Amino acid sequence: MRIGSLFSGIGGLELGLERAIPGAHTVFQVEQNKYARAVLAKHWPNAQRFDDVKEVGAHNLPACDLLCGGFPCQDLSALNSNGTGLEGSRSGLWGEFARIAGELEPRWIIVENVHHTWRRWVPSVRRDLYRLGYASVPLRLSAADVGARHRRRRVFILAHPDGQQLRKLPRWWSRQDGQGAPESAKPNRWPAPPEPCRAPHGLSHRVDRLRCLGNAVVPQVAEVMGRVVMQLEEGSA
């Protein structure tokens, strides 16, 4: 399965998906942050990389089977008093995600963003996906569900052109309350958590590292999403 990644950060989404889906490989990544792109280049040397989501599309992106990404959340935040949501200059980049999805027509789409203000984005994103011909379902999952010592709750919208495909979701998602993942679906590797603040003052790129870690998707959570996609794929075989 070929994976395309938008708003890639340091690659947490595609890392987890590649772990879960046999043979999956990332063919392109789009990320504006220079330091994050350097991290991506180290771990995905064979993927094509781009720095501006507004400048990519079917004319220069390779085809992919699964398109994933977490568009900027700043305008969705409860701390954002102007309430711009998807009309904001940053979270409004969801429109570029939707445009690219419409041009590439991948088999699967995974959209990730914050949980606590989901009403500001989930209904609109699902409507846009519907207009593109995709059925979708929102799935709630937190880092704590996969064994982390922090919550980091997120909503993942899983989309596919065939709505019947999504009706085959594993039974453990029926509650959709963020606590659904059973032991059998959880990743089998969870290394000791890093201590990003241990770096001495003045270490090169320390601020960049901390910012990228703070914005990253937890790979073990993305791995659960990959396992869901695999179960649905196998169910259609």
Side-chain angles (χ1 to χ4, degrees):
M1 182 179 291
R2 295 165 298 181
I3 297 173
S5 171
L6 304 176
F7 310 102
S8 302
I10 55 174
L13 254 176
E14 48 266 50
L15 175 60
L17 293 172
E18 287 182 351
R19 285 178 175 177
I21 303 172
H25 60 285
T26 300
V27 294
F28 71 80
Q29 296 164 316
V30 184
E31 171 55 46
Q32 60 87 28
N33 182 275
K34 182 178 179 180
Y35 176 78
R37 286 200 310 276
V39 175
L40 297 174
K42 177 181 178 180
H43 296 289
W44 285 274
N46 297 321
Q48 295 185 45
R49 262 167 300 284
F50 305 85
D51 62 4
D52 190 345
V53 72
K54 296 180 180 179
E55 300 296 329
V56 298
H59 66 285
N60 59 354
L61 291 176
C64 64
D65 304 299
L66 188 157
L67 181 65
C68 66
F71 61 94
C73 68
Q74 289 91 336
D75 298 313
L76 306 174
S77 171
L79 299 177
N80 185 350
S81 59
N82 60 25
T84 51
L86 293 182
E87 300 301 319
S89 60
R90 292 169 292 185
S91 297
L93 289 173
W94 157 250
E96 298 297 333
F97 192 132
R99 173 186 61 80
I100 294 166
E103 293 180 13
L104 296 183
E105 298 182 336
R107 188 164 74 249
W108 293 98
I109 298 174
I110 296 178
V111 184
E112 177 269 348
N113 219 296
V114 294
H115 173 273
H116 63 282
T117 54
W118 67 268
R119 290 180 179 84
R120 290 191 178 187
W121 68 276
V122 169
S124 296
V125 166
R126 295 188 68 196
R127 280 194 296 268
D128 289 344
L129 290 170
Y130 179 78
R131 294 188 187 104
L132 293 173
Y134 287 86
S136 65
V137 59
L139 304 175
R140 304 177 186 180
L141 192 62
S142 72
D145 292 331
V146 293
R149 290 184 287 182
H150 61 285
R151 296 179 67 185
R152 199 171 180 81
R153 300 179 71 187
R154 292 292 183 268
V155 177
F156 293 82
I157 294 181
L158 180 64
H160 190 277
D162 184 359
Q164 294 300 317
Q165 188 86 341
L166 297 178
R167 293 180 184 275
K168 302 172 185 176
L169 275 171
R171 188 174 302 173
W172 44 268
W173 278 113
S174 61
R175 289 163 57 205
Q176 293 187 27
D177 61 356
Q179 304 296 323
E183 291 298 325
S184 61
K186 293 180 181 180
N188 55 16
R189 47 187 171 278
W190 186 267
E195 298 178 6
C197 293
R198 72 188 183 282
H201 177 72
L203 182 66
S204 178
H205 296 300
R206 178 175 184 268
V207 173
D208 293 315
R209 293 179 182 184
L210 294 178
R211 182 179 294 113
C212 285
L213 285 170
N215 291 333
V217 174
V218 176
Q220 288 84 350
V221 173
E223 190 172 348
V224 172
M225 294 303 303
R227 293 187 182 201
V228 172
V229 170
M230 277 301 301
Q231 288 188 41
L232 295 177
E233 285 268 295
E234 293 168 354
S236 65

